[in-house]
């Protein structure tokens, strides 16, 4: 299953020989940088670009193109290399767009040698930037991972390279664009629209391009120079811990292979069998997405009014999803800037006070007191200035949230949103689901929806153990268990509501029957696959059926017979809700549960556990992989979620139905009615 990354998200890489495919609506320059553990690029020989496309383990295209295929062999990179960054830049010195904000959002995919996508990332949110670090392959504890970066630079390629510590950044950027300008006759134009059936199309017969080449420049032979990372001796580059000595300045003649004579394009021919395959992403359209809604003109001196859906995307749902995560990034960025400014002010004041106290003459008398007051006044001024900037940004985000929240579809909306009053069972699965709200201490009143992509890639764990509530509220163990199961029921009802009828099936295990009251809405509506399983026998029965299902689907998929499942086989997504774990679970049931958590999501079997980790302490480290593999949520507000982007500890708050509201029963009744109409 392809991991569709968002900015800052990472994904493990099971293979070391990869292709990185780039698709854009205009010719762009693609390159790669090799960095050490700190991401520092030590010299021009650590950069693969059109003027020098071959490095050990990396091969890039030789000219600007609308589509690129970069080859990477992570086993062939030097020991000193811990990061491989994929950079994209708009060429200069030619007629074309000046910033990524005026072109379609670039799309980057990491694939295996067989073309199977491992991870993909659409770089959204770019405006005045003309260069961007798209992805980063990095080594962590001997294993390689990919991270979506999306860091743009308005100063262009020179600023990007300088930010990675390259001393000759400006000279190298000029040399790269000179090489690109000389090779622009071979650049690939924007790709044609996909066929009407949306499938993969075939081009006229001819040899397929090799790794690191674009279709237009391939002539059946490997480019001039040594072979790339997939064959032949490796070219020169960073080796071991010390890079080879090179001139301080880059060569003046970044010249590629001779430019072929321009010829008129060949008209399309009838596709023939055996021709090269167009590897463009089957779900990605190659034209620019429709522009977002235009905000009304702002009054002079007033900020622009926010508009719901003010983000890139092919549908309003995708625009709102991108806008919500853009708000999350904006809040993270402005809060990080505020905290950094306060830390700087604190450090500066401490330094000035230390200087005052280090001089014995200033410790006594009015001179020392005046210096202390001056240091404190500077500190207050810096903090006040930072707070003013933060308050300005928070006010703008709050105004945007006030506009976006009412416009959210049911899958993204809180339970108190009026959109649920007009709820109808959908015809297709949405792209994401709301699990709760996120906020930071500096912006307690501003809530950002926590959206995760569907289908679920990992199970959910509703922690019913003792949680330190951020507001200091005390809950006893019985109350926490009830709140945890209520939260699980709300999440389950939302999952049922956003999937089409008969495409999501829910099983419940409640060994002691302690959750009957909380589970009543699901049982009363008749939306479960069967009554909640109780006792050890019920636990064994449900787990056995689901593990057999996972085994069967895995065998069918691996054997290439996914369409040959038994007649009447339920192909819907499956969710197992487990309450009061590990009560009623023997060792065999625990192993089955771990198996479902590990292997289930890939074949449509998902897990939602309501459990206190301390209750399962008797199993020792056996269950540690289980807890780590699940996304931990809490039934009360708790600051346990940390983003890898800036390291903030975000407070998570679950979305529950308002007290006394009947929205849950109404929605579940419509789901049950739709299922009854499908299966009269």
């Amino acid at each position: 299953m392809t991991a569709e990354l968002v900015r800052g998200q990472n994904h493990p890489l099971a293979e070391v020989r990869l292709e990185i495919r780039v698709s854009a609506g205009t010719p762009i320059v693609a390159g790669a940088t090799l960095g050490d553990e700190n991401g520092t690029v030590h010299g021009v020989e650590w950069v693969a670009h059109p003027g020098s496309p071959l490095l050990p383990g990396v091969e890039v295209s030789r000219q600007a193109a609308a589509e690129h295929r970069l080859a990477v062999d992570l086993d062939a990179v030097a020991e000193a290399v811990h990061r491989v960054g994929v950079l994209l830049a708009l060429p200069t010195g030619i007629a074309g767009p000046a910033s990524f904000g005026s072109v379609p959002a670039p799309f980057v995919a990491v694939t295996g040698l067989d073309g199977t996508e491992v991870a993909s990332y659409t770089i959204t949110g770019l405006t005045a930037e003309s260069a961007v670090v798209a992805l980063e392959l990095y080594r962590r504890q001997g294993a390689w991972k990919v991270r979506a970066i999306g860091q743009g630079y308005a100063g262009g390629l020179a600023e990007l390279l300088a930010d990675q510590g390259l001393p000759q950044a400006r000279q190298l950027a000029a040399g790269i664009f000179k090489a690109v300008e000389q090779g622009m006759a071979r650049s690939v134009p924007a790709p044609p629209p996909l066929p009407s059936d949306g499938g993969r199309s075939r081009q006229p017969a001819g040899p397929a391009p090799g790794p690191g080449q674009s279709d237009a420049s391939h002539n059946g032979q490997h480019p001039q120079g040594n072979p790339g990372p997939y064959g032949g001796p490796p070219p020169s580059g960073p080796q071991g811990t010390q890079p080879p000595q090179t001139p301080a300045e880059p060569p003046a003649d970044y010249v590629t292979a001779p430019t072929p004579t321009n010829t008129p394009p060949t008209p399309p021919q009838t596709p023939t069998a055996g021709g090269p395959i167009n590897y463009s992403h089957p779900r990605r359209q190659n034209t620019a997405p429709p522009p977002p809604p235009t905000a009304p003109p702002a009054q002079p001196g007033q900020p622009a009014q926010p508009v719901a859906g003010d983000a890139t995307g092919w549908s309003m749902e995708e625009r709102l999803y991108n806008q919500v995560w853009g708000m999350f990034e904006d809040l993270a960025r402005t809060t990080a800037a505020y905290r950094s400014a306060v830390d700087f002010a604190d450090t500066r004041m401490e330094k000035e006070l230390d200087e005052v106290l280090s001089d014995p003459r200033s410790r006594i008398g009015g001179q020392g007191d005046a210096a202390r007051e001056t240091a404190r006044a500077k500190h207050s001024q810096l903090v006040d200035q930072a707070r003013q900037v933060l308050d300005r940004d928070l006010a703008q985000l709050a105004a945007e949230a006030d506009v976006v929240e009412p416009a959210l579809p049911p899958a993204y909306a809180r339970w108190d949103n009026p959109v649920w009053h007009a709820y109808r069972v959908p015809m297709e699965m949405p792209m994401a689901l709301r699990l709760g709200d996120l906020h930071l201490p500096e912006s307690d009143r501003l809530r950002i929806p926590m959206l995760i992509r569907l289908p679920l890639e990992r199970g959910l764990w509703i922690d019913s153990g003792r949680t330190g509530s951020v507001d200091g509220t005390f809950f006893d163990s019985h109350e926490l268990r009830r709140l945890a199961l209520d939260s699980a029921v709300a999440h389950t009802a939302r999952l049922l509501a956003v999937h089409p009828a008969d495409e999501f099936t829910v099983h419940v295990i409640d060994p002691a029957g302690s959750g009957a009251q909380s589970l009543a809405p699901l049982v009363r509506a008749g939306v479960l696959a069967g009554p909640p399983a109780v006792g050890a026998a019920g636990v064994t029965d449900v787990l056995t059926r689901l593990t057999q299902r996972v085994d069967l689907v895995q065998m069918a998929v691996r054997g290439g017979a996914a369409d040959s499942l038994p007649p009447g086989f339920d192909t819907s997504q499956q969710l197992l809700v487990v309450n009061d774990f590990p009560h009623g679970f023997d060792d065999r049931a625990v192993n089955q549960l771990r198996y479902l958590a590990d292997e289930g999501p890939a074949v449509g079997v998902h897990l939602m556990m309501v459990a206190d980790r301390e209750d399962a302490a008797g199993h020792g480290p056996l269950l540690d992989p289980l807890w780590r593999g699940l996304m931990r949520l809490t039934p009360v507000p708790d600051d346990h979620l940390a983003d890898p982007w800036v390291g903030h500890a975000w407070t998570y708050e679950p979305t529950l139905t308002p007290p006394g509201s009947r929205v849950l029963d109404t929605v579940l009744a419509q789901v049950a009615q739709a299922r009854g109409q499908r299966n009269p």
Side-chain angles (χ1 to χ4, degrees), residues 411-472:
Y412 301 174
R414 288 196 293 255
W415 284 111
D416 58 357
N417 193 310
V419 72
W420 288 106
H421 298 310
Y423 167 76
R424 294 293 182 270
V425 178
M427 300 299 294
E428 60 182 13
M429 180 181 68
M431 67 182 299
L433 180 82
R434 185 173 189 160
L435 288 181
D437 294 330
L438 300 173
H439 63 92
L440 293 170
E442 291 84 355
S443 55
D444 186 63
R445 290 178 296 177
L446 179 60
R447 299 294 193 270
I448 304 296
M450 178 181 173
L451 305 180
I452 61 168
R453 297 297 294 263
L454 291 179
L456 298 173
E457 294 186 359
R458 58 192 298 200
L460 304 178
W461 165 30
I462 317 298
D463 190 355
S464 60
R466 294 191 178 275
T467 303
S469 178
V470 293
D471 58 3

Side-chain angles (χ1 to χ4, degrees), residues 535-549:
V539 172
T540 301
D541 177 62
V542 174
L543 291 177
T544 300
R545 285 190 284 111
L546 289 178
T547 52
Q548 289 176 349
R549 173 190 178 88

